[in-house]
Tab-separated table of all heavy atoms in Angstrom:
chain	number	residue	atom	x	y	z
C	1	MET	N	35.170	22.019	14.530
C	1	MET	CA	35.805	20.781	15.030
C	1	MET	C	34.858	20.162	16.123
C	1	MET	O	34.590	20.799	16.979
C	1	MET	CB	37.151	21.108	15.633
C	1	MET	CG	37.945	19.913	15.986
C	1	MET	SD	39.599	20.432	16.759
C	1	MET	CE	40.468	21.031	15.379
C	2	VAL	N	34.577	18.938	15.899
C	2	VAL	CA	33.677	18.265	16.849
C	2	VAL	C	34.304	16.958	17.333
C	2	VAL	O	34.824	16.237	16.536
C	2	VAL	CB	32.313	17.875	16.140
C	2	VAL	CG1	31.452	17.140	17.035
C	2	VAL	CG2	31.648	19.190	15.607
C	3	LYS	N	34.218	16.811	18.620
C	3	LYS	CA	34.695	15.546	19.239
C	3	LYS	C	33.649	14.419	19.136
C	3	LYS	O	32.433	14.668	19.129
C	3	LYS	CB	35.084	15.769	20.675
C	3	LYS	CG	36.193	16.569	20.945
C	3	LYS	CD	37.457	15.977	20.397
C	3	LYS	CE	38.629	16.937	20.377
C	3	LYS	NZ	39.849	16.358	19.740
C	4	PRO	N	34.123	13.224	18.943
C	4	PRO	CA	33.067	12.078	18.890
C	4	PRO	C	32.393	11.931	20.179
C	4	PRO	O	32.813	12.148	21.257
C	4	PRO	CB	34.014	10.824	18.684
C	4	PRO	CG	35.344	11.242	19.072
C	4	PRO	CD	35.576	12.698	18.901
C	5	PHE	N	31.014	11.645	20.099
C	5	PHE	CA	30.175	11.458	21.293
C	5	PHE	C	30.207	10.045	21.690
C	5	PHE	O	29.806	9.697	22.786
C	5	PHE	CB	28.805	11.971	21.040
C	5	PHE	CG	27.954	11.101	20.058
C	5	PHE	CD1	27.220	9.999	20.564
C	5	PHE	CD2	27.957	11.373	18.800
C	5	PHE	CE1	26.412	9.342	19.650
C	5	PHE	CE2	27.252	10.644	17.883
C	5	PHE	CZ	26.509	9.543	18.304
C	6	LYS	N	30.858	9.151	20.879
C	6	LYS	CA	30.852	7.724	21.114
C	6	LYS	C	31.925	7.056	20.283
C	6	LYS	O	32.151	7.430	19.189
C	6	LYS	CB	29.443	7.003	20.862
C	6	LYS	CG	29.430	5.666	21.404
C	6	LYS	CD	28.016	5.117	21.112
C	6	LYS	CE	27.867	3.700	21.509
C	6	LYS	NZ	26.699	3.084	21.146
C	7	THR	N	32.655	6.149	20.889
C	7	THR	CA	33.500	5.354	20.120
C	7	THR	C	33.254	3.858	20.397
C	7	THR	O	32.862	3.438	21.429
C	7	THR	CB	35.001	5.608	20.550
C	7	THR	OG1	35.174	5.429	21.920
C	7	THR	CG2	35.317	7.070	20.200
C	8	VAL	N	33.362	3.138	19.323
C	8	VAL	CA	33.069	1.689	19.340
C	8	VAL	C	34.255	0.943	18.809
C	8	VAL	O	34.763	1.243	17.738
C	8	VAL	CB	31.832	1.403	18.400
C	8	VAL	CG1	31.495	-0.043	18.540
C	8	VAL	CG2	30.713	2.331	18.816
C	9	PRO	N	34.751	-0.082	19.510
C	9	PRO	CA	35.859	-0.883	19.035
C	9	PRO	C	35.465	-1.604	17.764
C	9	PRO	O	34.370	-2.182	17.612
C	9	PRO	CB	36.086	-1.858	20.065
C	9	PRO	CG	35.522	-1.332	21.362
C	9	PRO	CD	34.355	-0.519	20.868
C	10	VAL	N	36.276	-1.643	16.784
C	10	VAL	CA	36.072	-2.408	15.559
C	10	VAL	C	36.217	-3.875	15.880
C	10	VAL	O	37.216	-4.277	16.566
C	10	VAL	CB	37.109	-2.092	14.503
C	10	VAL	CG1	36.954	-2.954	13.257
C	10	VAL	CG2	36.977	-0.592	14.094
C	11	GLU	N	35.135	-4.579	15.526
C	11	GLU	CA	35.166	-6.077	15.705
C	11	GLU	C	36.226	-6.642	14.874
C	11	GLU	O	36.084	-6.566	13.654
C	11	GLU	CB	33.773	-6.698	15.558
C	11	GLU	CG	32.707	-6.219	16.447
C	11	GLU	CD	31.446	-6.757	16.225
C	11	GLU	OE1	31.335	-8.007	15.803
C	11	GLU	OE2	30.483	-6.149	16.465
C	12	VAL	N	37.096	-7.401	15.420
C	12	VAL	CA	38.212	-8.053	14.647
C	12	VAL	C	37.774	-9.415	14.193
C	12	VAL	O	38.457	-9.981	13.346
C	12	VAL	CB	39.465	-8.038	15.408
C	12	VAL	CG1	40.064	-6.689	15.678
C	12	VAL	CG2	39.311	-8.808	16.780
C	13	ASN	N	36.689	-9.976	14.802
C	13	ASN	CA	36.330	-11.288	14.492
C	13	ASN	C	35.251	-11.470	13.434
C	13	ASN	O	34.488	-12.409	13.472
C	13	ASN	CB	35.943	-11.897	15.840
C	13	ASN	CG	36.166	-13.409	15.880
C	13	ASN	OD1	36.949	-13.906	14.959
C	13	ASN	ND2	35.822	-14.103	16.903
C	14	THR	N	35.316	-10.537	12.563
C	14	THR	CA	34.295	-10.734	11.450
C	14	THR	C	34.996	-10.969	10.158
C	14	THR	O	36.179	-10.819	9.976
C	14	THR	CB	33.379	-9.355	11.298
C	14	THR	OG1	34.294	-8.369	10.855
C	14	THR	CG2	32.762	-9.023	12.571
C	15	LYS	N	34.314	-11.416	9.145
C	15	LYS	CA	34.875	-11.609	7.773
C	15	LYS	C	35.019	-10.337	7.036
C	15	LYS	O	35.655	-10.320	5.994
C	15	LYS	CB	34.023	-12.636	7.098
C	15	LYS	CG	34.138	-14.067	7.683
C	15	LYS	CD	33.187	-15.078	7.055
C	15	LYS	CE	33.343	-16.454	7.817
C	15	LYS	NZ	32.180	-17.293	7.544
C	16	LYS	N	34.297	-9.329	7.487
C	16	LYS	CA	34.341	-8.113	6.814
C	16	LYS	C	35.780	-7.484	7.021
C	16	LYS	O	36.375	-7.617	8.053
C	16	LYS	CB	33.227	-7.188	7.201
C	16	LYS	CG	31.985	-7.502	6.725
C	16	LYS	CD	30.957	-6.454	6.984
C	16	LYS	CE	30.519	-6.362	8.406
C	16	LYS	NZ	29.425	-5.349	8.684
C	17	THR	N	36.227	-6.693	6.057
C	17	THR	CA	37.450	-6.009	6.330
C	17	THR	C	37.196	-4.958	7.327
C	17	THR	O	36.107	-4.331	7.359
C	17	THR	CB	37.948	-5.373	5.018
C	17	THR	OG1	36.949	-4.599	4.403
C	17	THR	CG2	38.400	-6.408	4.013
C	18	PRO	N	38.189	-4.710	8.170
C	18	PRO	CA	37.979	-3.671	9.231
C	18	PRO	C	37.935	-2.240	8.704
C	18	PRO	O	37.444	-1.396	9.415
C	18	PRO	CB	39.139	-3.905	10.159
C	18	PRO	CG	40.194	-4.475	9.343
C	18	PRO	CD	39.516	-5.272	8.261
C	19	GLY	N	38.415	-2.009	7.575
C	19	GLY	CA	38.535	-0.682	7.110
C	19	GLY	C	39.777	0.027	7.577
C	19	GLY	O	40.510	-0.610	8.397
C	20	TYR	N	39.957	1.201	7.163
C	20	TYR	CA	41.295	1.829	7.323
C	20	TYR	C	40.982	3.188	7.962
C	20	TYR	O	40.062	3.877	7.746
C	20	TYR	CB	42.060	1.926	6.139
C	20	TYR	CG	42.384	0.572	5.532
C	20	TYR	CD1	41.653	-0.018	4.547
C	20	TYR	CD2	43.508	0.004	6.102
C	20	TYR	CE1	41.944	-1.193	4.114
C	20	TYR	CE2	43.734	-1.370	5.610
C	20	TYR	CZ	43.037	-1.977	4.600
C	20	TYR	OH	43.282	-3.178	4.189
C	21	CYS	N	42.057	3.509	8.852
C	21	CYS	CA	42.040	4.893	9.463
C	21	CYS	C	41.847	5.970	8.485
C	21	CYS	O	42.601	6.034	7.447
C	21	CYS	CB	43.314	4.989	10.307
C	21	CYS	SG	43.544	6.577	11.051
C	22	VAL	N	40.999	6.977	8.836
C	22	VAL	CA	40.758	7.984	7.803
C	22	VAL	C	42.033	9.059	7.725
C	22	VAL	O	42.065	9.813	6.890
C	22	VAL	CB	39.558	8.880	8.114
C	22	VAL	CG1	38.303	7.880	7.956
C	22	VAL	CG2	39.521	9.416	9.471
C	23	VAL	N	42.821	8.924	8.871
C	23	VAL	CA	44.016	9.834	8.899
C	23	VAL	C	45.250	9.247	8.246
C	23	VAL	O	45.926	9.926	7.437
C	23	VAL	CB	44.307	10.277	10.365
C	23	VAL	CG1	45.423	11.180	10.506
C	23	VAL	CG2	42.993	10.821	11.113
C	24	CYS	N	45.566	8.087	8.723
C	24	CYS	CA	46.852	7.544	8.247
C	24	CYS	C	46.807	6.275	7.439
C	24	CYS	O	47.806	5.725	6.978
C	24	CYS	CB	47.713	7.251	9.432
C	24	CYS	SG	47.211	5.870	10.470
C	25	SER	N	45.513	5.769	7.213
C	25	SER	CA	45.262	4.637	6.415
C	25	SER	C	45.847	3.239	6.910
C	25	SER	O	45.939	2.333	6.177
C	25	SER	CB	45.899	4.838	4.986
C	25	SER	OG	45.286	5.914	4.373
C	26	ARG	N	46.136	3.190	8.162
C	26	ARG	CA	46.459	1.899	8.794
C	26	ARG	C	45.100	1.282	9.043
C	26	ARG	O	44.014	1.902	8.996
C	26	ARG	CB	47.215	2.157	10.108
C	26	ARG	CG	48.699	2.471	9.874
C	26	ARG	CD	49.397	2.445	11.193
C	26	ARG	NE	50.590	3.252	11.127
C	26	ARG	CZ	50.888	4.261	12.041
C	26	ARG	NH1	50.103	4.353	13.141
C	26	ARG	NH2	51.899	5.003	11.897
C	27	VAL	N	45.255	-0.057	9.491
C	27	VAL	CA	44.004	-0.739	9.833
C	27	VAL	C	43.313	-0.144	11.051
C	27	VAL	O	43.949	0.209	12.086
C	27	VAL	CB	44.288	-2.143	10.120
C	27	VAL	CG1	43.062	-2.972	10.646
C	27	VAL	CG2	44.760	-2.851	8.857
C	28	ALA	N	41.997	0.201	10.933
C	28	ALA	CA	41.302	0.921	12.032
C	28	ALA	C	40.962	-0.004	13.062
C	28	ALA	O	40.670	-1.254	12.859
C	28	ALA	CB	40.016	1.557	11.328
C	29	THR	N	40.993	0.530	14.367
C	29	THR	CA	40.678	-0.138	15.486
C	29	THR	C	39.397	0.278	16.200
C	29	THR	O	38.861	-0.353	17.026
C	29	THR	CB	41.801	-0.180	16.497
C	29	THR	OG1	42.135	1.121	16.759
C	29	THR	CG2	42.983	-0.910	16.043
C	30	THR	N	39.036	1.458	15.826
C	30	THR	CA	37.921	2.118	16.592
C	30	THR	C	37.063	2.923	15.555
C	30	THR	O	37.477	3.623	14.677
C	30	THR	CB	38.477	3.160	17.613
C	30	THR	OG1	39.304	2.370	18.483
C	30	THR	CG2	37.308	3.723	18.403
C	31	HIS	N	35.742	2.720	15.756
C	31	HIS	CA	34.784	3.671	14.990
C	31	HIS	C	34.444	4.857	16.043
C	31	HIS	O	34.139	4.641	17.079
C	31	HIS	CB	33.527	2.951	14.715
C	31	HIS	CG	33.693	1.939	13.611
C	31	HIS	ND1	32.843	0.807	13.562
C	31	HIS	CD2	34.526	1.824	12.574
C	31	HIS	CE1	33.220	0.066	12.491
C	31	HIS	NE2	34.275	0.765	11.841
C	32	ALA	N	34.550	5.999	15.504
C	32	ALA	CA	34.112	7.182	16.203
C	32	ALA	C	32.834	7.748	15.622
C	32	ALA	O	32.749	7.905	14.379
C	32	ALA	CB	35.198	8.233	16.190
C	33	LEU	N	31.932	7.968	16.490
C	33	LEU	CA	30.616	8.524	15.940
C	33	LEU	C	30.557	10.057	16.346
C	33	LEU	O	30.753	10.424	17.382
C	33	LEU	CB	29.473	7.694	16.587
C	33	LEU	CG	29.373	6.312	16.105
C	33	LEU	CD1	29.392	5.348	17.298
C	33	LEU	CD2	28.247	6.165	15.185
C	34	PHE	N	30.206	10.726	15.210
C	34	PHE	CA	30.039	12.192	15.434
C	34	PHE	C	28.595	12.679	15.132
C	34	PHE	O	28.009	12.104	14.238
C	34	PHE	CB	30.919	12.990	14.509
C	34	PHE	CG	32.369	12.683	14.681
C	34	PHE	CD1	32.984	11.662	14.004
C	34	PHE	CD2	33.187	13.453	15.454
C	34	PHE	CE1	34.298	11.353	14.124
C	34	PHE	CE2	34.499	13.114	15.622
C	34	PHE	CZ	35.095	12.134	14.983
C	35	LYS	N	28.043	13.567	16.051
C	35	LYS	CA	26.755	14.070	15.598
C	35	LYS	C	26.864	15.160	14.600
C	35	LYS	O	27.382	16.268	14.967
C	35	LYS	CB	26.012	14.570	16.924
C	35	LYS	CG	25.300	13.464	17.545
C	35	LYS	CD	24.361	14.036	18.581
C	35	LYS	CE	23.548	12.826	19.277
C	35	LYS	NZ	23.749	12.883	20.747
C	36	GLY	N	26.257	14.987	13.467
C	36	GLY	CA	26.216	16.199	12.531
C	36	GLY	C	24.809	16.718	12.604
C	36	GLY	O	24.114	16.550	13.662
C	37	GLU	N	24.442	17.506	11.638
C	37	GLU	CA	23.181	18.130	11.645
C	37	GLU	C	22.134	17.111	11.094
C	37	GLU	O	21.810	16.951	9.965
C	37	GLU	CB	23.129	19.311	10.726
C	37	GLU	CG	23.973	20.408	11.353
C	37	GLU	CD	23.876	21.759	10.535
C	37	GLU	OE1	22.821	22.102	9.956
C	37	GLU	OE2	24.903	22.466	10.457
C	38	GLY	N	21.509	16.423	12.038
C	38	GLY	CA	20.443	15.400	11.768
C	38	GLY	C	20.990	14.108	11.341
C	38	GLY	O	20.175	13.207	10.977
C	39	VAL	N	22.303	13.925	11.377
C	39	VAL	CA	22.878	12.725	10.988
C	39	VAL	C	23.929	12.294	11.920
C	39	VAL	O	24.493	13.105	12.633
C	39	VAL	CB	23.399	12.767	9.465
C	39	VAL	CG1	22.318	12.846	8.413
C	39	VAL	CG2	24.483	13.870	9.320
C	40	VAL	N	24.277	11.036	11.916
C	40	VAL	CA	25.467	10.610	12.650
C	40	VAL	C	26.453	10.178	11.686
C	40	VAL	O	26.273	9.494	10.776
C	40	VAL	CB	25.038	9.328	13.554
C	40	VAL	CG1	26.309	8.710	14.072
C	40	VAL	CG2	23.992	9.768	14.614
C	41	ILE	N	27.704	10.710	11.911
C	41	ILE	CA	28.810	10.434	10.943
C	41	ILE	C	29.739	9.421	11.577
C	41	ILE	O	30.061	9.600	12.817
C	41	ILE	CB	29.504	11.679	10.626
C	41	ILE	CG1	28.657	12.686	9.796
C	41	ILE	CG2	30.797	11.395	9.817
C	41	ILE	CD1	28.366	13.994	10.539
C	42	LEU	N	30.055	8.417	10.918
C	42	LEU	CA	30.957	7.372	11.437
C	42	LEU	C	32.216	7.449	10.737
C	42	LEU	O	32.350	7.460	9.554
C	42	LEU	CB	30.300	6.068	11.223
C	42	LEU	CG	31.032	4.813	11.927
C	42	LEU	CD1	30.030	3.755	12.272
C	42	LEU	CD2	32.148	4.238	11.052
C	43	GLN	N	33.325	7.629	11.521
C	43	GLN	CA	34.753	7.676	10.943
C	43	GLN	C	35.565	6.584	11.611
C	43	GLN	O	35.289	6.259	12.813
C	43	GLN	CB	35.400	8.979	11.252
C	43	GLN	CG	34.666	10.144	10.642
C	43	GLN	CD	35.006	10.577	9.305
C	43	GLN	OE1	35.152	9.808	8.441
C	43	GLN	NE2	35.270	11.842	9.177
C	44	ARG	N	36.557	6.085	10.910
C	44	ARG	CA	37.304	5.054	11.413
C	44	ARG	C	38.800	5.583	11.818
C	44	ARG	O	39.203	6.368	11.163
C	44	ARG	CB	37.579	3.831	10.465
C	44	ARG	CG	36.263	3.121	10.023
C	44	ARG	CD	36.713	1.953	9.166
C	44	ARG	NE	35.515	1.290	8.730
C	44	ARG	CZ	34.895	1.639	7.518
C	44	ARG	NH1	35.421	2.428	6.778
C	44	ARG	NH2	33.893	0.874	7.140
C	45	TYR	N	39.213	5.125	12.971
C	45	TYR	CA	40.524	5.560	13.432
C	45	TYR	C	41.346	4.385	14.007
C	45	TYR	O	40.791	3.508	14.525
C	45	TYR	CB	40.434	6.640	14.512
C	45	TYR	CG	39.831	7.896	14.020
C	45	TYR	CD1	38.408	8.160	14.213
C	45	TYR	CD2	40.522	8.843	13.470
C	45	TYR	CE1	37.840	9.275	13.795
C	45	TYR	CE2	39.954	10.074	13.028
C	45	TYR	CZ	38.671	10.286	13.209
C	45	TYR	OH	38.045	11.318	12.839
C	46	CYS	N	42.648	4.429	13.803
C	46	CYS	CA	43.546	3.599	14.538
C	46	CYS	C	43.807	4.081	15.910
C	46	CYS	O	43.428	5.262	16.250
C	46	CYS	CB	44.904	3.345	13.743
C	46	CYS	SG	45.861	4.888	13.791
C	47	ASP	N	44.532	3.332	16.725
C	47	ASP	CA	44.832	3.780	18.142
C	47	ASP	C	45.538	5.063	18.145
C	47	ASP	O	45.393	5.886	18.951
C	47	ASP	CB	45.557	2.673	18.789
C	47	ASP	CG	44.648	1.539	19.253
C	47	ASP	OD1	43.468	1.648	19.300
C	47	ASP	OD2	45.251	0.390	19.469
C	48	GLY	N	46.515	5.231	17.215
C	48	GLY	CA	47.311	6.400	17.261
C	48	GLY	C	46.656	7.658	16.962
C	48	GLY	O	47.033	8.803	17.381
C	49	CYS	N	45.617	7.639	16.110
C	49	CYS	CA	44.887	8.808	15.621
C	49	CYS	C	43.634	9.153	16.374
C	49	CYS	O	43.092	10.283	16.349
C	49	CYS	CB	44.593	8.648	14.189
C	49	CYS	SG	46.037	8.534	13.035
C	50	LEU	N	43.154	8.173	17.151
C	50	LEU	CA	41.896	8.402	17.910
C	50	LEU	C	41.933	9.546	18.843
C	50	LEU	O	40.997	10.289	18.757
C	50	LEU	CB	41.596	7.101	18.657
C	50	LEU	CG	40.174	7.176	19.339
C	50	LEU	CD1	39.064	7.405	18.339
C	50	LEU	CD2	39.907	5.962	20.193
C	51	PRO	N	43.035	9.745	19.587
C	51	PRO	CA	42.985	10.922	20.518
C	51	PRO	C	42.804	12.268	19.845
C	51	PRO	O	42.401	13.158	20.455
C	51	PRO	CB	44.328	10.778	21.245
C	51	PRO	CG	44.740	9.400	21.074
C	51	PRO	CD	44.246	8.982	19.796
C	52	LYS	N	43.223	12.383	18.658
C	52	LYS	CA	43.095	13.571	17.892
C	52	LYS	C	41.916	13.601	16.939
C	52	LYS	O	41.876	14.404	15.997
C	52	LYS	CB	44.338	14.005	17.183
C	52	LYS	CG	44.988	12.879	16.424
C	52	LYS	CD	46.323	13.318	15.869
C	52	LYS	CE	47.046	12.142	15.222
C	52	LYS	NZ	48.364	12.387	14.650
C	53	ALA	N	41.059	12.611	17.051
C	53	ALA	CA	39.894	12.430	16.236
C	53	ALA	C	38.959	13.758	16.339
C	53	ALA	O	38.565	14.139	17.428
C	53	ALA	CB	39.075	11.241	16.606
C	54	ASP	N	38.640	14.272	15.201
C	54	ASP	CA	37.650	15.304	15.173
C	54	ASP	C	37.047	15.282	13.863
C	54	ASP	O	37.481	14.729	12.817
C	54	ASP	CB	38.134	16.702	15.472
C	54	ASP	CG	39.170	17.024	14.504
C	54	ASP	OD1	38.916	17.305	13.345
C	54	ASP	OD2	40.446	17.152	14.830
C	55	TYR	N	35.815	15.849	13.800
C	55	TYR	CA	35.087	15.970	12.460
C	55	TYR	C	34.924	17.394	12.084
C	55	TYR	O	34.442	18.076	12.860
C	55	TYR	CB	33.789	15.187	12.526
C	55	TYR	CG	33.069	15.296	11.144
C	55	TYR	CD1	33.435	14.350	10.194
C	55	TYR	CD2	32.077	16.167	11.033
C	55	TYR	CE1	32.810	14.417	8.987
C	55	TYR	CE2	31.343	16.223	9.781
C	55	TYR	CZ	31.872	15.349	8.744
C	55	TYR	OH	31.177	15.403	7.530
C	56	LYS	N	35.268	17.753	10.936
C	56	LYS	CA	35.136	19.145	10.436
C	56	LYS	C	34.040	19.182	9.481
C	56	LYS	O	33.915	18.427	8.492
C	56	LYS	CB	36.465	19.623	9.791
C	56	LYS	CG	37.621	19.669	10.623
C	56	LYS	CD	38.801	20.032	9.974
C	56	LYS	CE	40.082	19.929	10.871
C	56	LYS	NZ	40.419	18.567	11.225
C	57	TYR	N	33.129	20.068	9.716
C	57	TYR	CA	31.927	20.304	8.862
C	57	TYR	C	32.367	20.943	7.593
C	57	TYR	O	33.278	21.823	7.614
C	57	TYR	CB	30.939	21.129	9.619
C	57	TYR	CG	30.229	20.374	10.737
C	57	TYR	CD1	30.711	20.378	11.934
C	57	TYR	CD2	29.181	19.460	10.348
C	57	TYR	CE1	30.017	19.756	13.012
C	57	TYR	CE2	28.647	18.641	11.394
C	57	TYR	CZ	29.014	18.777	12.688
C	57	TYR	OH	28.435	18.170	13.679
Z	1	ZN	ZN1	45.554	6.416	12.004
């Protein structure tokens, strides 16, 4: 279990779809970045799920 090293608010003002929370499938508000082995993993979370965000290898 790894905590995100950085979180980035999802820009709401783009024409792209914001994407959906990986936990509950609501509209995501935050991108959380995790350091993997040699890669950065980006996951999307809503406000409700961000506090319990973790990445499992
Ligand atoms: Zn969620």
Side-chain angles (χ1 to χ4, degrees):
M1 187 184 291
V2 179
K3 291 292 171 188
F5 70 93
K6 188 179 178 185
T7 57
V8 183
V10 173
E11 292 180 34
V12 290
N13 213 4
T14 65
K15 287 174 183 160
K16 285 192 285 186
T17 56
Y20 297 97
C21 175
V22 295
V23 179
C24 69
S25 299
R26 284 190 208 130
V27 173
T29 57
T30 304
H31 286 154
L33 295 129
F34 300 88
K35 270 195 181 123
E37 290 186 34
V39 292
V40 172
I41 295 118
L42 188 150
Q43 302 267 49
R44 297 186 184 93
Y45 294 95
C46 68
D47 285 340
C49 297
L50 183 64
K52 47 187 173 177
D54 61 68
Y55 181 78
K56 295 177 186 71
Y57 289 97

